[in-house]
Amino acid sequence: MNALILAAEGPVNPVIPHPAEIILGLVAFLLLFFVIKKFVSPRFEALYAERTAKIEGGIEKAEQAQAEAQRTLEQYKEQLAEARAEAARIRDDARAEGLQIIEELREQAQAESARIVAQGQHQLDAQRAQIVAELRADLGRTAVELASKVVGESLEDEARRRGTVDRFLNELDAVAAPASK
């Protein structure tokens, strides 16, 4: 009988499946599709969304960190520029202050030098006056002694002697003054 059933069905094509297998396969597929759609797919979607959020959050955090680093770099550059400007200003102030101190010391040295020269000139003038007075007195005594020897009489009279000596010295000064000019 089996042979009859087989003969009645005709030649069997091995590529085309039997209709019962198609139905059973379709039911299994729909059951598997339902399980995947109901349980597996939402889990995959949740994991995918979570992963996407983590990645986007990481990218956003990285962008924020990049922006913060850029702001920090700009602040650092500004502070560095301010520090360099401040250093240049301090250096210029110190240089100007140094020049001012040098100028003040130079002025003090010149004033001290002028004071020392003036004091020395004053001392020289005083010594010169003292020496001139001593020389006049010595010259006067010598002149009186010589005049006494030449004239042969004593010029002891003080008033006459002073008058004679003063007149003689004034004549010497008058002769010496044009020669020294």
Side-chain angles (χ1 to χ4, degrees), residues 21-127:
E21 288 179 355
I22 292 175
I23 293 173
L24 184 63
L26 186 62
V27 169
F29 175 74
L30 289 175
L31 185 63
L32 183 62
F33 180 75
F34 175 75
V35 170
I36 290 175
K37 182 80 171 163
K38 185 75 175 171
F39 299 108
V40 176
S41 180
R43 296 281 296 254
F44 276 126
E45 288 295 326
L47 287 174
Y48 177 72
E50 182 182 329
R51 187 84 159 178
T52 303
K54 282 183 180 179
I55 290 172
E56 288 176 355
I59 290 172
E60 186 177 307
K61 286 180 184 177
E63 288 173 352
Q64 288 175 351
Q66 181 72 21
E68 180 66 28
Q70 189 65 30
R71 283 192 300 272
T72 304
L73 179 63
E74 291 300 323
Q75 288 175 349
Y76 170 74
K77 286 181 179 178
E78 288 174 7
Q79 290 174 351
L80 184 62
E82 289 174 7
R84 285 182 178 159
E86 180 71 16
R89 187 187 61 76
I90 289 172
R91 198 172 36 249
D92 291 342
D93 289 348
R95 191 174 293 129
E97 187 175 325
L99 291 174
Q100 182 182 3
I101 290 171
I102 289 172
E103 186 61 31
E104 288 174 1
L105 290 175
R106 184 178 292 133
E107 289 173 3
Q108 288 177 356
Q110 288 175 347
E112 183 68 17
S113 173
R115 186 190 63 79
I116 290 172
V117 168
Q119 184 179 6
Q121 188 65 37
H122 179 69
Q123 286 177 349
L124 284 176
D125 290 344
Q127 287 177 351

Side-chain angles (χ1 to χ4, degrees), residues 148-163:
S148 295
K149 289 181 183 176
V150 168
V151 172
E153 65 182 64
S154 175
L155 296 175
E156 293 293 328
D157 185 12
E158 188 67 31
R160 281 179 49 201
R161 182 173 64 169
R162 283 203 189 277

